[in-house]
Amino acid sequence: MENYFVHPSSIVDEGAKIGSNTKIWHFCHISSNVEIGHKCILGQNVFVAGGVKIGNGVKIQNNVSLYTGVILEDDVFLGPSVVFTNVMNPRSFIERKNEYKSTIVHKGASIGANATIVCGTTLGEYCFIGAGAVVTKNVLPFQLMAGCPAKPIGWISKNGHKLNMEKHIGICPETQEIYALKDGHLFLLENKLP
Ligand SMILES: CC(C)(COP(=O)(O)OP(=O)(O)OC[C@H]1O[C@@H](n2cnc3c(N)ncnc32)[C@H](O)[C@@H]1OP(=O)(O)O)[C@@H](O)C(=O)NCCC(=O)NCCS
Protein backbone atom coordinates (compact mmCIF):
# COMPACT_ATOMS: atom_id res chain seq x y z
CA MET A 1 0.00 0.00 0.00
CA GLU A 2 1.16 3.53 -0.80
CA ASN A 3 2.04 5.35 2.37
CA TYR A 4 2.95 8.72 0.96
CA PHE A 5 0.73 11.71 0.28
CA VAL A 6 0.11 13.38 -3.06
CA HIS A 7 -2.30 16.31 -3.21
CA PRO A 8 -5.02 15.66 -5.81
CA SER A 9 -3.89 18.67 -7.84
CA SER A 10 -0.47 17.05 -8.49
CA ILE A 11 0.48 14.58 -11.20
CA VAL A 12 2.78 11.62 -10.59
CA ASP A 13 3.68 9.82 -13.81
CA GLU A 14 3.67 6.05 -13.87
CA GLY A 15 6.96 4.54 -12.82
CA ALA A 16 7.99 7.27 -10.37
CA LYS A 17 9.14 5.82 -7.05
CA ILE A 18 8.14 7.67 -3.91
CA GLY A 19 9.24 6.74 -0.41
CA SER A 20 7.10 6.38 2.68
CA ASN A 21 5.90 9.44 4.60
CA THR A 22 6.78 11.77 1.75
CA LYS A 23 4.34 14.61 1.11
CA ILE A 24 3.82 16.18 -2.29
CA TRP A 25 1.71 19.32 -2.09
CA HIS A 26 -0.27 21.31 -4.66
CA PHE A 27 0.37 21.51 -8.41
CA CYS A 28 3.51 19.37 -8.59
CA HIS A 29 4.56 17.20 -11.51
CA ILE A 30 6.72 14.16 -10.84
CA SER A 31 7.95 12.49 -14.04
CA SER A 32 8.42 8.77 -14.51
CA ASN A 33 11.89 7.38 -13.75
CA VAL A 34 12.21 9.64 -10.71
CA GLU A 35 13.22 8.36 -7.29
CA ILE A 36 12.14 10.26 -4.21
CA GLY A 37 13.16 8.97 -0.78
CA HIS A 38 11.34 8.76 2.53
CA LYS A 39 10.09 11.69 4.63
CA CYS A 40 10.51 14.31 1.93
CA ILE A 41 8.35 17.40 1.52
CA LEU A 42 7.75 18.95 -1.88
CA GLY A 43 5.98 22.30 -1.70
CA GLN A 44 3.70 23.88 -4.25
CA ASN A 45 4.62 23.88 -7.94
CA VAL A 46 7.63 21.59 -7.84
CA PHE A 47 8.59 19.91 -11.12
CA VAL A 48 10.83 16.83 -11.07
CA ALA A 49 12.16 15.71 -14.45
CA GLY A 50 12.94 12.14 -15.48
CA GLY A 51 16.11 10.65 -14.04
CA VAL A 52 16.26 12.93 -11.01
CA LYS A 53 17.13 11.26 -7.70
CA ILE A 54 16.09 12.71 -4.36
CA GLY A 55 17.31 11.20 -1.09
CA ASN A 56 15.54 10.90 2.25
CA GLY A 57 14.42 13.83 4.40
CA VAL A 58 14.72 16.38 1.59
CA LYS A 59 12.66 19.59 1.84
CA ILE A 60 11.84 21.51 -1.31
CA GLN A 61 10.03 24.83 -1.00
CA ASN A 62 7.63 26.26 -3.58
CA ASN A 63 8.42 26.82 -7.26
CA VAL A 64 11.48 24.65 -7.79
CA SER A 65 12.18 22.69 -11.00
CA LEU A 66 14.65 19.82 -10.80
CA TYR A 67 15.93 19.07 -14.28
CA THR A 68 17.51 15.85 -15.51
CA GLY A 69 21.01 15.65 -14.11
CA VAL A 70 20.17 16.92 -10.63
CA ILE A 71 20.89 14.64 -7.69
CA LEU A 72 19.87 15.62 -4.17
CA GLU A 73 21.28 13.53 -1.33
CA ASP A 74 19.64 13.05 2.06
CA ASP A 75 18.52 16.04 4.14
CA VAL A 76 19.03 18.65 1.44
CA PHE A 77 17.00 21.86 1.84
CA LEU A 78 15.97 23.92 -1.19
CA GLY A 79 14.48 27.36 -0.53
CA PRO A 80 11.67 28.82 -2.58
CA SER A 81 12.34 29.44 -6.27
CA VAL A 82 15.80 27.87 -6.31
CA VAL A 83 16.85 27.44 -9.94
CA PHE A 84 18.84 24.55 -11.38
CA THR A 85 20.15 24.41 -14.94
CA ASN A 86 21.32 21.50 -17.06
CA VAL A 87 22.72 22.97 -20.26
CA MET A 88 25.65 25.41 -20.26
CA ASN A 89 25.07 27.01 -23.65
CA PRO A 90 21.43 26.56 -24.62
CA ARG A 91 20.23 27.57 -28.06
CA SER A 92 16.60 27.17 -28.97
CA PHE A 93 17.46 25.83 -32.43
CA ILE A 94 20.05 23.23 -31.29
CA GLU A 95 19.07 20.01 -29.53
CA ARG A 96 21.40 19.45 -26.57
CA LYS A 97 19.59 16.65 -24.76
CA ASN A 98 22.73 14.52 -24.89
CA GLU A 99 24.77 17.23 -23.24
CA TYR A 100 22.95 17.51 -19.93
CA LYS A 101 25.41 18.15 -17.13
CA SER A 102 24.84 16.88 -13.65
CA THR A 103 24.57 18.88 -10.47
CA ILE A 104 25.12 17.02 -7.23
CA VAL A 105 23.95 18.42 -3.94
CA HIS A 106 25.49 16.41 -1.14
CA LYS A 107 23.95 15.44 2.18
CA GLY A 108 22.62 18.16 4.43
CA ALA A 109 23.32 21.09 2.09
CA SER A 110 20.95 24.08 2.08
CA ILE A 111 20.26 26.43 -0.79
CA GLY A 112 18.63 29.79 -0.02
CA ALA A 113 15.68 31.36 -1.76
CA ASN A 114 16.10 32.33 -5.40
CA ALA A 115 19.65 31.01 -5.70
CA THR A 116 20.74 29.71 -9.12
CA ILE A 117 23.02 26.71 -9.44
CA VAL A 118 24.89 26.57 -12.74
CA CYS A 119 25.09 22.97 -13.97
CA GLY A 120 28.15 20.80 -13.61
CA THR A 121 28.74 21.92 -10.03
CA THR A 122 28.99 19.84 -6.88
CA LEU A 123 27.81 21.23 -3.58
CA GLY A 124 29.59 19.70 -0.61
CA GLU A 125 28.01 18.21 2.49
CA TYR A 126 26.31 20.73 4.77
CA CYS A 127 27.33 23.72 2.68
CA PHE A 128 25.00 26.71 2.70
CA ILE A 129 24.16 28.89 -0.27
CA GLY A 130 22.81 32.35 0.62
CA ALA A 131 19.58 33.69 -0.82
CA GLY A 132 19.94 34.99 -4.36
CA ALA A 133 23.44 33.60 -4.93
CA VAL A 134 24.58 32.37 -8.34
CA VAL A 135 26.77 29.32 -7.83
CA THR A 136 29.22 28.82 -10.70
CA LYS A 137 31.86 26.62 -9.07
CA ASN A 138 32.06 23.63 -6.75
CA VAL A 139 31.36 24.35 -3.11
CA LEU A 140 33.28 22.70 -0.27
CA PRO A 141 31.63 20.89 2.63
CA PHE A 142 30.47 23.36 5.34
CA GLN A 143 31.28 26.35 3.14
CA LEU A 144 28.99 29.39 3.32
CA MET A 145 28.56 31.12 -0.03
CA ALA A 146 26.78 34.29 -1.07
CA GLY A 147 26.59 36.78 -3.90
CA CYS A 148 26.70 36.80 -7.66
CA PRO A 149 28.90 35.07 -8.60
CA ALA A 150 28.82 33.23 -5.27
CA LYS A 151 31.94 33.62 -3.15
CA PRO A 152 32.87 31.95 0.14
CA ILE A 153 31.93 34.21 3.04
CA GLY A 154 32.70 31.80 5.87
CA TRP A 155 31.98 28.39 7.30
CA ILE A 156 28.80 26.97 8.71
CA SER A 157 28.12 24.10 11.08
CA LYS A 158 25.99 21.04 10.45
CA ASN A 159 23.18 22.71 12.42
CA GLY A 160 23.44 25.87 10.29
CA HIS A 161 25.37 28.28 12.51
CA LYS A 162 28.01 30.56 11.05
CA LEU A 163 31.29 29.59 12.70
CA ASN A 164 33.48 32.12 14.38
CA MET A 165 36.88 30.76 13.40
CA GLU A 166 39.74 31.36 15.82
CA LYS A 167 43.14 29.83 15.12
CA HIS A 168 41.53 27.54 12.52
CA ILE A 169 39.01 26.20 15.04
CA GLY A 170 35.25 26.88 15.14
CA ILE A 171 32.65 25.69 17.62
CA CYS A 172 28.97 25.28 16.85
CA PRO A 173 27.10 27.30 19.48
CA GLU A 174 24.17 24.88 19.40
CA THR A 175 25.86 21.49 19.56
CA GLN A 176 29.37 22.38 20.83
CA GLU A 177 30.77 20.34 17.96
CA ILE A 178 34.31 21.33 17.07
CA TYR A 179 35.38 22.10 13.49
CA ALA A 180 38.95 22.45 12.30
CA LEU A 181 40.25 24.13 9.16
CA LYS A 182 43.07 22.25 7.46
CA ASP A 183 44.50 22.94 4.01
CA GLY A 184 41.48 25.08 3.10
CA HIS A 185 38.92 22.43 4.06
CA LEU A 186 36.75 22.32 7.16
CA PHE A 187 36.48 19.09 9.12
CA LEU A 188 34.12 18.11 11.90
CA LEU A 189 36.16 16.61 14.73
CA GLU A 190 34.85 13.62 16.62
CA ASN A 191 35.09 15.09 20.08
CA LYS A 192 32.90 17.92 21.40
CA LEU A 193 33.57 20.62 23.97
CA PRO A 194 32.92 19.18 27.43
C1 LIG B 1 23.79 33.86 3.81
C2 LIG B 1 23.13 34.02 5.16
C3 LIG B 1 23.04 32.67 5.88
C4 LIG B 1 24.03 34.95 5.94
O1 LIG B 1 23.51 35.14 7.21
P1 LIG B 1 24.35 35.96 8.29
O2 LIG B 1 25.65 35.31 8.51
O3 LIG B 1 23.49 36.13 9.48
O4 LIG B 1 24.63 37.29 7.52
P2 LIG B 1 24.75 38.76 8.08
O5 LIG B 1 23.36 39.31 8.13
O6 LIG B 1 25.60 38.78 9.30
O7 LIG B 1 25.49 39.45 6.87
C5 LIG B 1 26.88 39.41 6.70
C6 LIG B 1 27.19 40.14 5.41
O8 LIG B 1 26.81 39.30 4.30
C7 LIG B 1 25.85 39.96 3.48
N1 LIG B 1 24.87 38.96 3.08
C8 LIG B 1 24.08 38.22 3.88
N2 LIG B 1 23.31 37.40 3.14
C9 LIG B 1 23.63 37.63 1.87
C10 LIG B 1 23.17 37.08 0.67
N3 LIG B 1 22.24 36.14 0.65
N4 LIG B 1 23.72 37.54 -0.48
C11 LIG B 1 24.67 38.50 -0.47
N5 LIG B 1 25.15 39.04 0.67
C12 LIG B 1 24.63 38.62 1.81
C13 LIG B 1 25.23 41.03 4.39
O9 LIG B 1 24.71 42.08 3.62
C14 LIG B 1 26.41 41.43 5.20
O10 LIG B 1 27.23 42.29 4.45
P3 LIG B 1 28.07 43.50 5.13
O11 LIG B 1 29.01 42.83 6.08
O12 LIG B 1 28.71 44.15 3.97
O13 LIG B 1 27.05 44.33 5.83
C15 LIG B 1 21.68 34.58 5.06
O14 LIG B 1 21.71 35.97 4.79
C16 LIG B 1 20.85 33.91 3.96
O15 LIG B 1 20.91 34.25 2.77
N6 LIG B 1 20.02 32.95 4.41
C17 LIG B 1 19.13 32.19 3.52
C18 LIG B 1 17.67 32.50 3.84
C19 LIG B 1 16.77 31.74 2.92
O16 LIG B 1 16.85 31.85 1.71
N7 LIG B 1 15.91 30.90 3.47
C20 LIG B 1 15.05 30.08 2.64
C21 LIG B 1 13.94 29.47 3.41
S1 LIG B 1 12.75 30.66 3.89
Side-chain angles (χ1 to χ4, degrees), residues 18-42:
I18 301 173
S20 57
N21 299 314
T22 282
K23 291 188 175 79
I24 297 173
W25 291 103
H26 307 66
F27 313 120
C28 294
H29 177 193
I30 313 302
S31 307
S32 56
N33 191 25
V34 159
E35 282 177 34
I36 301 178
H38 308 293
K39 291 188 184 168
C40 294
I41 300 175
L42 277 65

CSV table of all heavy atoms in Angstrom, one decimal, residues 18-42:
chain,number,residue,atom,x,y,z
A,18,ILE,N,8.2,6.7,-5.0
A,18,ILE,CA,8.1,7.7,-3.9
A,18,ILE,C,8.2,6.9,-2.6
A,18,ILE,O,7.5,6.0,-2.4
A,18,ILE,CB,6.8,8.5,-4.0
A,18,ILE,CG1,6.8,9.2,-5.4
A,18,ILE,CG2,6.7,9.5,-2.9
A,18,ILE,CD1,5.5,9.9,-5.7
A,19,GLY,N,9.0,7.4,-1.7
A,19,GLY,CA,9.2,6.7,-0.4
A,19,GLY,C,8.1,7.0,0.6
A,19,GLY,O,7.3,8.0,0.4
A,20,SER,N,8.1,6.3,1.7
A,20,SER,CA,7.1,6.4,2.7
A,20,SER,C,7.2,7.7,3.4
A,20,SER,O,8.3,8.3,3.6
A,20,SER,CB,7.2,5.2,3.7
A,20,SER,OG,8.5,5.3,4.3
A,21,ASN,N,6.0,8.2,3.8
A,21,ASN,CA,5.9,9.4,4.6
A,21,ASN,C,6.4,10.7,3.8
A,21,ASN,O,6.6,11.7,4.5
A,21,ASN,CB,6.6,9.3,5.9
A,21,ASN,CG,6.1,8.3,6.8
A,21,ASN,OD1,4.9,8.1,6.9
A,21,ASN,ND2,6.9,7.4,7.3
A,22,THR,N,6.5,10.6,2.6
A,22,THR,CA,6.8,11.8,1.8
A,22,THR,C,5.5,12.5,1.4
A,22,THR,O,4.4,11.8,1.3
A,22,THR,CB,7.5,11.3,0.5
A,22,THR,OG1,8.9,11.1,0.9
A,22,THR,CG2,7.5,12.4,-0.6
A,23,LYS,N,5.5,13.8,1.4
A,23,LYS,CA,4.3,14.6,1.1
A,23,LYS,C,4.6,15.5,-0.1
A,23,LYS,O,5.6,16.2,-0.2
A,23,LYS,CB,4.0,15.5,2.3
A,23,LYS,CG,3.5,14.8,3.5
A,23,LYS,CD,3.0,15.8,4.5
A,23,LYS,CE,2.4,15.1,5.7
A,23,LYS,NZ,3.4,14.6,6.7
A,24,ILE,N,3.7,15.4,-1.1
A,24,ILE,CA,3.8,16.2,-2.3
A,24,ILE,C,2.6,17.1,-2.4
A,24,ILE,O,1.5,16.6,-2.5
A,24,ILE,CB,3.9,15.2,-3.5
A,24,ILE,CG1,5.2,14.4,-3.4
A,24,ILE,CG2,3.9,16.0,-4.8
A,24,ILE,CD1,5.4,13.3,-4.4
A,25,TRP,N,2.8,18.4,-2.2
A,25,TRP,CA,1.7,19.3,-2.1
A,25,TRP,C,1.2,19.8,-3.4
A,25,TRP,O,1.4,19.1,-4.4
A,25,TRP,CB,2.1,20.5,-1.1
A,25,TRP,CG,2.2,20.0,0.3
A,25,TRP,CD1,3.4,19.7,0.9
A,25,TRP,CD2,1.2,19.6,1.1
A,25,TRP,NE1,3.1,19.2,2.2
A,25,TRP,CE2,1.8,19.1,2.3
A,25,TRP,CE3,-0.2,19.5,1.0
A,25,TRP,CZ2,1.0,18.6,3.4
A,25,TRP,CZ3,-1.0,19.1,2.1
A,25,TRP,CH2,-0.4,18.6,3.3
A,26,HIS,N,0.5,20.9,-3.5
A,26,HIS,CA,-0.3,21.3,-4.7
A,26,HIS,C,0.5,21.5,-5.9
A,26,HIS,O,1.6,22.1,-5.9
A,26,HIS,CB,-1.0,22.6,-4.4
A,26,HIS,CG,-1.8,22.5,-3.1
A,26,HIS,ND1,-1.2,22.4,-1.8
A,26,HIS,CD2,-3.1,22.6,-2.9
A,26,HIS,CE1,-2.2,22.4,-0.9
A,26,HIS,NE2,-3.3,22.5,-1.5
A,27,PHE,N,-0.1,21.2,-7.1
A,27,PHE,CA,0.4,21.5,-8.4
A,27,PHE,C,1.8,21.1,-8.7
A,27,PHE,O,2.6,21.8,-9.4
A,27,PHE,CB,0.2,23.0,-8.7
A,27,PHE,CG,-1.1,23.6,-8.2
A,27,PHE,CD1,-1.2,24.6,-7.3
A,27,PHE,CD2,-2.3,23.1,-8.8
A,27,PHE,CE1,-2.4,25.1,-6.9
A,27,PHE,CE2,-3.5,23.6,-8.4
A,27,PHE,CZ,-3.6,24.6,-7.4
A,28,CYS,N,2.2,19.9,-8.3
A,28,CYS,CA,3.5,19.4,-8.6
A,28,CYS,C,3.4,18.4,-9.8
A,28,CYS,O,2.3,17.9,-10.0
A,28,CYS,CB,4.1,18.6,-7.4
A,28,CYS,SG,4.4,19.7,-6.0
A,29,HIS,N,4.5,18.2,-10.5
A,29,HIS,CA,4.6,17.2,-11.5
A,29,HIS,C,5.8,16.4,-11.3
A,29,HIS,O,6.9,16.9,-11.4
A,29,HIS,CB,4.6,17.9,-12.9
A,29,HIS,CG,4.7,16.9,-14.0
A,29,HIS,ND1,5.0,17.2,-15.3
A,29,HIS,CD2,4.6,15.5,-14.0
A,29,HIS,CE1,5.0,16.1,-16.1
A,29,HIS,NE2,4.8,15.1,-15.3
A,30,ILE,N,5.6,15.1,-11.0
A,30,ILE,CA,6.7,14.2,-10.8
A,30,ILE,C,6.8,13.3,-12.1
A,30,ILE,O,5.8,12.5,-12.3
A,30,ILE,CB,6.5,13.3,-9.6
A,30,ILE,CG1,6.1,14.1,-8.4
A,30,ILE,CG2,7.8,12.5,-9.3
A,30,ILE,CD1,7.0,15.2,-7.9
A,31,SER,N,7.9,13.3,-12.8
A,31,SER,CA,8.0,12.5,-14.0
A,31,SER,C,8.2,11.0,-13.7
A,31,SER,O,8.6,10.7,-12.6
A,31,SER,CB,9.1,13.0,-14.9
A,31,SER,OG,8.9,14.4,-15.1
A,32,SER,N,8.1,10.2,-14.7
A,32,SER,CA,8.4,8.8,-14.5
A,32,SER,C,9.9,8.7,-14.4
A,32,SER,O,10.7,9.6,-14.8
A,32,SER,CB,7.9,7.9,-15.7
A,32,SER,OG,8.4,8.4,-16.9
A,33,ASN,N,10.4,7.6,-13.9
A,33,ASN,CA,11.9,7.4,-13.8
A,33,ASN,C,12.5,8.4,-12.8
A,33,ASN,O,13.6,8.8,-13.0
A,33,ASN,CB,12.6,7.5,-15.1
A,33,ASN,CG,14.0,7.0,-15.1
A,33,ASN,OD1,14.4,6.3,-14.2
A,33,ASN,ND2,14.8,7.5,-16.0
A,34,VAL,N,11.7,8.8,-11.8
A,34,VAL,CA,12.2,9.6,-10.7
A,34,VAL,C,12.2,8.8,-9.4
A,34,VAL,O,11.3,8.0,-9.2
A,34,VAL,CB,11.3,10.9,-10.5
A,34,VAL,CG1,11.4,11.5,-9.2
A,34,VAL,CG2,11.5,11.9,-11.6
A,35,GLU,N,13.2,9.0,-8.6
A,35,GLU,CA,13.2,8.4,-7.3
A,35,GLU,C,13.2,9.4,-6.2
A,35,GLU,O,14.1,10.2,-6.1
A,35,GLU,CB,14.5,7.5,-7.1
A,35,GLU,CG,14.4,6.2,-7.9
A,35,GLU,CD,15.6,5.4,-7.8
A,35,GLU,OE1,16.3,5.4,-6.7
A,35,GLU,OE2,16.0,4.7,-8.8
A,36,ILE,N,12.2,9.3,-5.3
A,36,ILE,CA,12.1,10.3,-4.2
A,36,ILE,C,12.2,9.4,-2.9
A,36,ILE,O,11.4,8.4,-2.8
A,36,ILE,CB,10.8,11.1,-4.3
A,36,ILE,CG1,10.8,11.9,-5.6
A,36,ILE,CG2,10.7,12.0,-3.1
A,36,ILE,CD1,9.5,12.8,-5.8
A,37,GLY,N,13.0,9.8,-2.0
A,37,GLY,CA,13.2,9.0,-0.8
A,37,GLY,C,12.0,9.1,0.2
A,37,GLY,O,11.0,9.7,-0.1
A,38,HIS,N,12.3,8.7,1.4
A,38,HIS,CA,11.3,8.8,2.5
A,38,HIS,C,11.3,10.1,3.2
A,38,HIS,O,12.4,10.8,3.2
A,38,HIS,CB,11.7,7.7,3.6
A,38,HIS,CG,11.9,6.4,3.1
A,38,HIS,ND1,10.8,5.6,2.5
A,38,HIS,CD2,13.0,5.6,2.9
A,38,HIS,CE1,11.3,4.5,2.1
A,38,HIS,NE2,12.6,4.4,2.3
A,39,LYS,N,10.2,10.5,3.8
A,39,LYS,CA,10.1,11.7,4.6
A,39,LYS,C,10.5,13.0,3.9
A,39,LYS,O,11.2,13.8,4.5
A,39,LYS,CB,10.9,11.5,5.9
A,39,LYS,CG,10.3,10.5,6.9
A,39,LYS,CD,11.1,10.5,8.2
A,39,LYS,CE,10.6,9.4,9.1
A,39,LYS,NZ,11.4,9.2,10.2
A,40,CYS,N,10.2,13.1,2.6
A,40,CYS,CA,10.5,14.3,1.9
A,40,CYS,C,9.3,15.2,1.9
A,40,CYS,O,8.2,14.7,2.0
A,40,CYS,CB,10.9,14.0,0.5
A,40,CYS,SG,12.5,13.1,0.4
A,41,ILE,N,9.5,16.5,1.7
A,41,ILE,CA,8.4,17.4,1.5
A,41,ILE,C,8.6,18.2,0.3
A,41,ILE,O,9.6,18.9,0.1
A,41,ILE,CB,8.2,18.3,2.7
A,41,ILE,CG1,7.9,17.5,4.0
A,41,ILE,CG2,7.0,19.3,2.5
A,41,ILE,CD1,7.9,18.4,5.3
A,42,LEU,N,7.7,18.1,-0.7
A,42,LEU,CA,7.7,18.9,-1.9
A,42,LEU,C,6.6,20.0,-1.8
A,42,LEU,O,5.4,19.6,-1.7
A,42,LEU,CB,7.6,18.1,-3.1
A,42,LEU,CG,8.9,17.4,-3.6
A,42,LEU,CD1,9.4,16.4,-2.6
A,42,LEU,CD2,8.6,16.7,-5.0
